[in-house]
Each structure stands twice: as structure tokens, then as C-alpha cells.
């Protein structure tokens, strides 16, 4: 079968690999659509997270169950599914408490074991989630990144009266705007991004105002840094009002220098947000299938799996016009 594998920074290739075998508790899934995530770009640019080279990348997908192992219950061929792609260590304090997204050694499929940029993937039945068969599989492929946004909304306890600013209109930023609006009733969301194409998308998904940089002197009760750079984090803190909250939702590729006195003097709370819970993932699939959250505007392109390397080149380019690219198998 075809798979997109990582060979080194800037080097992903479409190669032929063996179709995976599956154990008695595993499910063989025919991948329908797989999304390229920001973390895949961290791998592509810097070789972060990935354990084996070469490795089949990818952790966001929808697919259809093809075959099931002899001990699998509750799943059958033909079921439309997504999966929880987290690979927690199951041994650290967080894992023992069931808080898998804060696992000290958290890995993902596509990083520590073969991922979903392939025609087939085999996964343990416990991580496979059945989704409504009537749902659009293309849209449901965004369940995983939407779950990240749902975790941010939960951590931020968004209220309709909040005045929110978001820096960085990449997929996670845009999905957070969508979820804050559709599920929490937030109406004041200012989005800042250098890319005009992304600002146009931010407007489409419900931002109340957009700008390249947050206006000088303007403060917000809750500010999200979804861009993950020193400059954007400092901007987020400096635009948070006294006793307000700054949320950090990105993995930073480079070190950070933060004006900590700005944080102390205004008593700002800095909150980290990492991935999601299994419940967030199930809810994300639900609100996509029932139409509560429309993720369609985020899908910039659907390319065949064989053009995976081209998709990475587009996303990693400085242009930054593209939001989510899906690979179709
Ligand atoms: Zn992802
Ligand atoms: Zn752990």
C-alpha cells in the first residue's frame, strides 16, 4: 500500500509499504481522509517528536473499518470511525490519574508508531471511536484538531460576555474561534495574523474583527497565543487586561524570552493547554456531524495521498494561505 513517510527534515516521501497486520484486539481501518497537523509541520521542519526514521506520519483521520480481530466487540466492517491518536506511557502520575493529555512521555501515532498517512492503519479497539455513518467523512477528519479547540474552550471557561483576542489564525486558532462562538456564545473575538488570507478565513468563521497586530493599548479579558513565538506570547500578555488570562496553546520551536514583570504587575494568569480528552474528541465528532460547528471553511485543499510531499511543501511555505490540507486515499 501507499504511505507518506518521514525521512528527515524537509524530506517526506510517498513509498510502498506492507499493509499492516492486526492482532485479536485490533481493527484494520481503510483510511478515507487524513489531515496534516501543525505538529506534522514541526516534524517536517525540525524533526521534532518523531521516534523512528523512516516512519509513516499522520494522526488525524476518518476511515472505514475493513476487518476486525477475533476479540473485537462493538465494531464491525463498514463502521465509519476516527481514533484517539494519543499514545500515553500508562506509567507516569498523570496516566495513573487518567489525565493522558498531560502524560510526561506522551506520544502520538505517526510519531512513535505508524500513523494514518497510509491506505490502511491497524489500531487497538480501545482507541477507535465510531462516528455517525451519515456524517461527512471529509469534515469529520477535523474532529481531532477541533477537540484541541474544545479543550481550549473548556480551560478558558468562555462566557458570552468575554472579550477575547486570538493571535495566530492557523487551523487551531480558527477552530477555537468557531468553537468559542458556536458552543460558548462568545461574540467579541478579535483575531490577529500577518496573513491576509488567514484573516479572511477568520472573518468567515466568525471573528468580530481582524487585524495584522492587536491595536496598541487595547486590552482583552482572555488572550490566546496560537502562534507560538516569543513575540506573539509577549503580545498576548501585553494585551491581557489586569487580572485576565493568557492561554498558550502551541508548541514553541524556539526558546522564549517573556516580559515576566508585565505578567506579575497585572496579575495575569498564564494557562497552558495541551491536546484534549477522549470526551473532547467524541464531542468534536458529534458537533461536526450534527452541523453545530461547520469546519468546511478550514479545508483549503484535498489532495491524493500520493501528493503528500507536495502538501507538506505548500503548508511549510511562507505564504501561509492554506489552513487544513486533507490527503485522500
Ligand atoms: Zn493534530
Ligand atoms: Zn504517562
Amino acid at each position: 500500500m501507499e504511505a507518506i513517510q518521514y525521512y528527515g527534515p524537509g524530506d517526506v516521501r510517498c513509498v510502498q509499504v506492507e499493509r499492516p497486520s492486526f492482532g485479536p484486539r485490533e481493527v484494520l481501518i481503510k483510511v478515507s481522509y487524513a489531515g496534516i497537523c501543525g505538529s506534522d509541520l514541526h516534524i517536517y521542519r525540525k524533526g521534532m517528536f518523531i521516534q523512528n526514521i523512516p516512519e509513516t506520519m499522520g494522526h488525524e483521520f476518518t476511515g472505514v473499518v475493513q476487518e476486525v480481530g477475533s476479540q473485537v466487540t462493538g465494531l464491525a466492517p463498514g463502521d465509519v470511525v476516527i481514533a484517539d491518536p494519543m499514545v500515553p506511557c500508562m506509567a507516569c502520575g498523570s496516566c495513573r490519574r487518567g489525565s493522558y493529555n498531560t502524560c510526561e512521555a506522551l506520544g502520538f501515532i505517526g510519531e512513535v508508531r505508524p500513523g494514518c498517512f497510509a491506505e490502511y492503519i491497524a489500531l487497538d479497539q480501545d482507541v477507535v471511536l465510531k462516528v455517525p455513518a451519515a456524517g461527512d467523512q471529509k469534515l469529520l477528519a477535523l474532529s481531532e484538531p477541533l477537540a484541541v479547540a474544545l479543550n481550549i474552550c473548556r480551560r478558558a471557561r468562555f462566557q458570552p460576555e468575554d472579550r477575547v483576542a486570538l493571535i495566530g489564525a492557523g487551523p487551531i486558532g480558527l477552530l477555537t474561534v468557531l468553537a468559542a462562538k458556536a458552543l460558548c456564545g462568545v461574540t467579541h473575538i478579535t483575531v490577529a495574523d500577518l496573513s491576509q488570507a488567514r484573516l479572511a478565513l477568520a472573518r468567515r468563521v466568525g471573528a468580530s474583527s481582524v487585524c495584522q497586530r492587536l491595536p496598541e493599548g487595547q486590552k482583552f479579558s482572555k488572550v490566546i497565543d496560537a502562534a507560538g513565538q516569543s513575540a506573539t506570547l509577549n503580545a498576548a500578555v501585553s494585551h491581557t487586561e489586569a487580572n485576565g488570562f493568557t492561554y498558550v496553546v502551541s508548541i514553541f520551536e524556539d526558546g522564549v524570552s517573556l516580559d515576566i514583570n508585565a505578567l506579575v504587575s497585572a496579575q495575569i494568569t498564564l494557562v497552558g493547554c495541551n491536546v484534549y480528552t477522549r470526551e473532547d474528541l467524541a464531542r468534536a465528532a458529534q458537533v461536526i456531524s450534527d452541523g453545530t460547528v461547520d469546519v468546511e471553511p478550514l479545508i483549503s485543499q484535498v489532495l491524493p495521498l500520493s501528493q503528500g510531499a507536495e502538501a507538506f511543501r505548500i503548508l511549510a511555505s511562507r505564504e501561509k494561505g492554506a489552513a487544513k490540507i486533507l490527503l485522500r486515499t
Side-chain angles (χ1 to χ4, degrees), residues 25 75 82-88 90 98-102 106 108-109 123-131 143-144 146-148 150-151 154 274-286:
R25 292 181 44 81
L75 289 162
I82 59 169
D84 181 344
M86 284 192 267
V87 185
M90 302 309 282
S99 176
Y100 303 116
N101 60 328
T102 55
L106 184 62
F108 278 80
I109 64 169
L123 289 168
D124 190 279
Q125 62 175 340
D126 289 345
V127 303
V128 177
L129 281 76
K130 197 168 154 176
V131 295
S143 299
E144 197 263 1
L146 179 61
V148 175
L150 297 189
N151 181 56
R154 192 157 35 75
N274 194 39
V275 291
Y276 42 78
T277 62
R278 184 71 62 87
E279 292 69 33
D280 291 325
L281 199 54
R283 183 160 183 239
Q286 183 56 49

Side-chain angles (χ1 to χ4, degrees), residues 88-96 100 102-106:
C89 77
M90 302 309 282
C92 73
S94 278
C95 284
R96 283 200 302 273
Y100 303 116
T102 55
C103 167
E104 290 167 21
L106 184 62

